Amino acid sequence: MEEAGGVFPFRDVRWDPDPALEPSPAVRVPTPAPLVLDNGSFQLRLGWACRASEVPSEPLLRFRSLVARSRGARGGTGPETQVGNDLGSPEPLRWLLRSPFDRNVPVQMELQELLFDHGFQRLGVASQGCVDHPVVVTEAVCNPLYSRQMMSELLFECYQVPKVSYGVDSLYSLYHNKRQGWPCSGLIVSSGYQCTHILPVLDGRLDARNCKRINIGGCQAALYLQRLLQLKYPGHFAAITLSRVEEILHEHSYVAEDYKDEMQKWRSPEYYENHVHKMQLPFSNKLLGSTLTSEEKQERRQQQLRRLQELNARRREEKLQLDQERLDRLLYVQELLEEGHMDQFHKGLMELNMDSAEELQSYIHKLSMAIEQTKQKILQAEVSVEVDVVDSKPEMPDLDPMGSEQSMEDVESMNEFEPLFAEEQPEVEKPVTTVQPVFKLAEYHQLFIGTERIRVPEIIFQPSLIGEEQAGMAETIQFVLDRYPKEQQEKLVQNVFLTGGNMMYPGMKARIYKELLEMRPFQSSFQVHLASNPVLDAWYGAREWALEYMNRDEGWITRKDYEEKGGEYLKEHCTSNVYVPIRLPKQAPRAAETPASSKALGTAANNVSEQA
C-alpha cells in the first residue's frame, strides 16, 4: 500500500500459526486419499488429492521450510522447537534457523522429520503411529540416490506409509499447464529459491543427460539486495533485515528487457524521481532531549548532581564506619600492651597480621589521619550543599541613582557631537537572518530503491554481478539447445515453459522472449509460455497426477519394492526423474588372483636372473 508522496511502508507481516485442521471423512472412505507434499527449499505445501467436493483442491498448509531450536529457559521443560509459521517472525531467531536443504536437496533428515511431523499433525492425520495414506513428494531434478534413499527410509520406516511416488516439481507444473494442442516436447526454465534449472523434455520424457543447473535463485538475490542497502545506508544497518529485503524483492523489483538501456534511463533525474520507490522504516517521534526546554534540562542536571552527591556521601559514611571499627580494634590491642597482657597482645598482633608494636602504632596513626580527612570531606560536602541552595537565588544589580543621572548627562552630551564623527565611525553590520534547516525524522528513515529494482533480478542473467563464475540463464539456454540437432531444437523452442517463484518478476517473460529472439535464426518461430501460478502449479500438477494414477501401479513405490530394491529405487513415470541404479564393478575372485600374482613374481625373478 502506497502512502502520499510515493512512500511505501514496510508491512512487517507476522506469520500466523497454522491451525489444527479436522480432515473430512471423504479422505478416508472408501479408500485413503493420497497426501500431496510439495517439498520445496522455500516452502512446504501440503494437501489432499481427493475428488470429493468438500475437500479443498488447494494446499491446506503452506509454511517456510525452517526450524528453530533453542535450549529453553533455565529450570524449564527443556529444548524448545519451533517449525514454520509457529516462528511468528524469523528475525529474532535468525541465528537459530536451520533448514534441511543443501541448495535444493534435502540432506538433514532430522529437520525434515520435524517439518513432516508439524505438517501431518496440523493436517489432522490421526493414525495409530503411522500415516496410512499414499504420499506424493516432489524432489529435485537429478536428485542424488542417497537423498532419495534417506527420504524413502524416513517415510517407510518412520511413518509406515503404504506407497510413495516421487516427481520433479517443474514437470508437475508443466503437467498442470498442459493445454490442448501443446506439443509433448518443450524446454522448461524453472527458477526457484536456491537454483535455476534448464530442463529439455522430448516426447513427454525428461532428457536428464542435458539438464543444466545454475546455482542462483531468490536466496542469492535477497542477500545481494541486503548487502547493497546496508552499504548504501550504514546508519540503518540493523533495520535492513532479510524479511524486509524479501518484501522489497517480491513487490518492488522487475526484470529489464534491455539492462543497459534501462540503466541509461535511470541516469536521468526526472526518470529517477518518477520511478524511485521510497521505503519507510519504522521510527519513533520521541528523541532523547528533543522535547525538553532549557529549564527542564537544567533541572535534570541538578537532580543528577544531587543524586551523585548523595551517593558519594553514603560511600564516605560507610568508609568512615569501617575505618572507625578497624581503629577501635587496633586501640584495644594497644591497651593490652599498656596493661601488660603480653600473651593476648601477641595473639592480637598475629590476628592483625603485624609483627611489632611500632608497626601497630604507625597503622593507628595513619588510620586516625584518614578518619579525620573523611570527616572533613563529609563536613565540606554538607556546607557546599547549603551554599548552593542559598546562591541559587538570582542576583540583582545595585542601581545608583546619582550614577544614573550622571550617565544620562554624558549620553546627551555625546549626542551633540555625533554628526561630527559620523564619517569616521565604522558602519554597524546588520544581523543576517539565518534559516535553520528543518530536520524531518521520517525522511531520515526512508530507503530510496532506485537501480536496485533491476540490478538484483539481473543476477539470474549475469551471475558475475555478485562474483559468481557461472553462465547466465540465456547462455545456459543456448548451451542446452546447441546439444541437439536443428529438428529437435525446433521442437524444444515451440514450448519454452517458465515456472518457479523467480518467474513472477514483471518483465521476465518479455526478457526471455528477447533473449530467444537474439539467439534463434532469422525468421524462426518459437513460443514462450508462463505458468498460470508459477509458485503453486507444482502442487496442483502433483494432485492431478495422483488423482489420475491413484489406482495404477505406474509410478508408485510400495513397501515391498522398498524392502527388495532399496531406498534409492524409483519407479519412473511421465513427471519423474530418470532412474539410474547403482552399478558396482565386479571383483575377480581371490582364488584366480593368487596364481596370476605368483606367475608374475616368477617371471620377474627369471628376468632378474637373466640380467645377472
Side-chain angles (χ1 to χ4, degrees), residues 120-391:
F120 294 153
Q121 180 184 3
R122 299 303 172 91
L123 204 58
V125 183
S127 302
Q128 296 297 326
C130 65
V131 178
D132 54 351
H133 291 266
V135 178
V136 180
V137 186
T138 60
E139 65 177 6
V141 183
C142 302
N143 192 34
L145 296 181
Y146 180 66
S147 176
R148 186 184 301 129
Q149 177 185 358
M150 292 191 297
M151 183 66 72
S152 296
E153 183 179 347
L154 175 65
L155 293 173
F156 282 111
E157 301 293 346
C158 181
Y159 296 106
Q160 305 292 324
V161 298
K163 56 183 179 179
V164 180
S165 177
Y166 296 104
V168 180
D169 50 0
S170 50
L171 293 178
Y172 279 134
S173 180
L174 178 65
Y175 187 86
H176 174 70
N177 288 271
K178 203 170 185 180
R179 300 184 180 91
Q180 191 70 26
W182 271 29
C184 294
S185 302
L187 189 68
I188 301 177
V189 182
S190 173
S191 184
Y193 187 61
Q194 292 284 358
C195 301
T196 299
H197 291 93
I198 312 298
L199 312 177
V201 178
L202 289 172
D203 300 327
R205 289 297 289 127
L206 175 68
D207 185 8
R209 293 181 180 274
N210 294 319
C211 294
K212 297 298 173 185
R213 183 180 77 172
I214 309 169
N215 290 325
I216 299 293
C219 177
Q220 288 75 24
L223 293 174
Y224 179 47
L225 180 57
Q226 185 184 32
R227 188 163 68 245
L228 287 178
L229 294 179
Q230 287 178 344
L231 289 173
K232 188 176 181 180
Y233 299 99
H236 304 305
F237 190 90
I240 303 174
T241 61
L242 205 56
S243 299
R244 290 172 179 165
V245 164
E246 289 178 353
E247 181 180 339
I248 296 173
L249 196 63
H250 296 162
E251 300 181 7
H252 302 276
S253 300
Y254 67 97
V255 174
E257 187 172 349
D258 192 313
Y259 181 67
K260 291 184 179 179
D261 291 348
E262 192 72 16
M263 290 295 286
Q264 288 294 330
K265 292 179 183 178
W266 278 95
R267 296 183 66 180
S268 171
E270 296 179 359
Y271 188 89
Y272 179 86
E273 289 294 331
N274 295 332
H275 293 83
V276 67
H277 284 194
K278 303 173 184 177
M279 304 301 299
Q280 183 64 62
L281 290 170
F283 66 96
S284 176
N285 287 319
K286 295 181 179 180
L287 290 178
L288 184 61
S290 60
T291 58
L292 298 178
T293 61
S294 59
E295 291 81 5
E296 292 175 345
K297 292 180 180 178
Q298 183 67 22
E299 180 65 24
R300 179 170 294 183
R301 291 195 195 97
Q302 292 180 358
Q303 291 178 358
Q304 293 175 353
L305 178 61
R306 196 176 303 114
R307 195 177 301 115
L308 184 62
Q309 289 175 348
E310 292 175 356
L311 180 62
N312 291 334
R314 193 180 305 114
R315 289 178 178 175
R316 290 192 186 100
E317 291 176 356
E318 292 174 357
K319 183 177 181 300
L320 179 62
Q321 184 178 0
L322 292 175
D323 290 345
Q324 189 65 47
E325 293 176 357
R326 179 79 171 173
L327 180 61
D328 294 342
R329 174 63 178 166
L330 295 176
L331 293 176
Y332 171 74
V333 175
Q334 187 179 19
E335 289 178 359
L336 292 176
L337 176 62
E338 294 175 354
E339 294 176 0
H341 304 289
M342 301 303 298
D343 294 338
Q344 297 180 5
F345 171 72
H346 289 297
K347 185 177 180 181
L349 282 182
M350 292 178 62
E351 292 177 357
L352 295 174
N353 198 15
M354 294 184 183
D355 297 331
S356 60
E358 291 79 8
E359 184 178 357
L360 174 65
Q361 188 65 32
S362 174
Y363 199 84
I364 290 175
H365 178 71
K366 292 179 181 178
L367 195 57
S368 302
M369 296 294 294
I371 291 174
E372 289 296 327
Q373 291 178 1
T374 305
K375 289 181 179 179
Q376 291 292 331
K377 289 181 180 179
I378 293 175
L379 184 60
Q380 291 176 2
E382 294 175 355
V383 173
S384 64
V385 171
E386 294 177 359
V387 172
D388 290 341
V389 173
V390 174
D391 293 345

